[in-house]
Amino acid sequence: MKHISKEKAIFSFSSKHKPVEIVKPSELVLFEAEDALGGQVKNESISMETLDWSRVNGSTGPVYIEGAEPNDTLVVEILDIKPADKGVIVVIPGYGVLENMQFRGKAKIVTLKDGFAIFDEKTRVKVKPIIGTIGVAPHACMREGIPTSIPGKHGGNMDVKDVTSGTKLYLPVFTEGALFAAGDLHAVQADGELCVSSIEVAGQILLRFNLIKGKSPRWPLLETQESYMIIAAAENLDEAAKIASNEAIEALMREHDWSFEEAYMFGSLAVDLKINQVVDPKKGVRAVIPKEYITLESLLY
Ligand code: CA
């Protein structure tokens, strides 16, 4: 099994990064991840103004996947996510969905114990660890790449609460070797990620890669037990909802040989739009299609 140290962190997804490891499809790979704040918050008395933002939102990697070429699909099987036993939530003035409100910067260290995050003496939340940032390098023409804080077609900072163990993520490959990286673990997160951070936590991720040659999804696609989810991102939620819906309707047209009108009607009955997060530089919406109505084939181009 390959082991990728958290010391190997990138702050942008880019084809110009040198891979830190070469992995073969079907090989097991263990990624260590620092928390999204770069491990800087060790206690609750820290002032948010002293955070070094250049260390925030790192992703471990990138790894080169042998045989991956543009227009392929990189299949990422998420086998396990092990969070550390403590994480941190922060609120920062001017950030989050209520950025307009007056409030103070504050950090809260949260202990994870027996499968629960201990929020306060009376309140705990069941731990369900997710990978917040997971993606590949964008097309080589984007020389500067995309900061790890931004979600997009390449994946990135999607902050989707369903990107958890037991799921499979399908990412379009834009560059040779795909140059995959991941990090930004959350011990648990709700749709929206209201306050801009979740329980940011260090930890380990066990992954296995595979390739589908010669076709790819247009946006990251997540397969859960019950559904396929098309994960879109845009400047605002309306636009992200449009993209996710459009992709879902087109896939349904292909699957059932339906006209646009038929697929559009069916979308109202069976496709759920869910908010991923409303706090990152681009906002995210996913279209959730139950597996009984769609196959993977119709979601790849
Ligand atoms: Ca994040």
Side-chain angles (χ1 to χ4, degrees):
M1 179 167 59
K2 294 256 161 74
H3 184 267
I4 317 293
S5 156
K6 67 178 177 184
E7 309 303 321
K8 316 276 188 192
I10 52 170
F11 294 86
S12 66
F13 287 93
S14 165
S15 59
K16 73 179 179 190
H17 291 314
K18 284 237 168 353
V20 299
E21 187 70 77
I22 299 175
V23 302
K24 291 189 175 57
S26 83
E27 198 172 358
L28 289 176
V29 191
L30 186 74
F31 287 74
E32 241 181 49
E34 185 52 275
D35 70 53
L37 298 162
Q40 297 182 79
V41 181
K42 306 269 187 234
N43 58 64
E44 297 182 350
S45 59
I46 187 170
S47 135
M48 289 299 113
E49 288 80 50
T50 63
L51 278 188
D52 175 358
W53 287 92
S54 72
R55 291 168 58 193
V56 168
N57 267 317
S59 276
T60 306
V63 298
Y64 183 104
I65 316 298
E66 235 174 67
E69 295 171 297
N71 304 320
D72 292 347
T73 301
L74 179 65
V75 186
V76 188
E77 229 180 308
I78 303 172
L79 300 172
D80 194 24
I81 306 172
K82 269 201 180 60
D85 55 9
K86 271 192 173 63
V88 60
I89 319 176
V90 295
V91 288
I92 305 167
Y95 285 86
V97 69
L98 302 180
E99 60 191 1
N100 55 309
M101 300 292 283
Q102 293 289 325
F103 59 91
R104 286 172 298 123
K106 185 171 162 42
K108 184 198 248 321
I109 306 279
V110 179
T111 300
L112 310 179
K113 197 165 172 263
D114 303 328
F116 286 90
I118 314 300
F119 187 80
D120 67 20
E121 282 160 18
K122 287 182 291 191
T123 320
R124 55 185 205 165
V125 183
K126 199 166 193 298
V127 167
K128 184 191 171 197
I130 69 152
I131 306 173
T133 302
I134 180 167
V136 295
H139 195 274
C141 68
M142 299 189 68
R143 284 295 296 160
E144 291 316 305
I146 300 175
T148 42
S149 57
I150 300 179
K153 290 186 172 179
H154 69 295
N157 192 14
M158 297 186 288
D159 290 327
V160 172
K161 75 171 191 184
D162 296 310
V163 178
T164 187
S165 55
T167 65
K168 267 187 206 173
L169 185 66
Y170 300 80
L171 292 166
V173 176
F174 299 102
T175 190
E176 211 184 286
L179 300 182
F180 171 91
D184 177 26
L185 304 183
H186 297 166
V188 58
Q189 185 209 301
D191 279 339
E193 204 187 3
L194 302 192
C195 88
V196 84
S197 90
S198 188
I199 301 177
E200 310 294 334
V201 67
Q204 294 186 328
I205 318 166
L206 183 63
L207 303 177
R208 184 163 48 209
F209 299 101
N210 249 307
L211 291 171
I212 299 172
K213 297 297 291 178
K215 49 186 170 181
S216 60
R218 294 196 290 223
W219 288 83
L221 181 69
L222 186 73
E223 180 181 356
T224 69
Q225 203 73 8
E226 303 83 24
S227 327
Y228 285 103
M229 304 184 176
I230 301 163
I231 303 170
E235 296 307 319
N236 57 58
L237 283 180
D238 282 357
E239 200 49 43
K242 254 183 205 159
I243 296 169
S245 303
N246 200 52
E247 293 294 323
I249 298 309
E250 190 168 340
L252 285 165
M253 288 167 68
R254 296 173 88 201
E255 176 81 25
H256 298 276
D257 211 11
W258 281 335
S259 64
F260 176 84
E261 292 80 2
E262 291 284 310
Y264 198 18
M265 284 187 227
F266 186 78
S268 277
L269 314 185
V271 178
D272 278 325
L273 289 184
K274 297 190 176 182
I275 294 175
N276 307 332
Q277 50 70 30
V278 64
V279 296
D280 290 332
K282 286 189 172 176
K283 319 302 174 207
V285 169
R286 63 195 184 283
V288 182
I289 316 176
K291 278 180 172 172
E292 54 187 308
Y293 305 119
I294 199 86
T295 57
L296 181 60
E297 191 83 333
S298 300
L299 292 154
L300 303 180
Y301 293 83

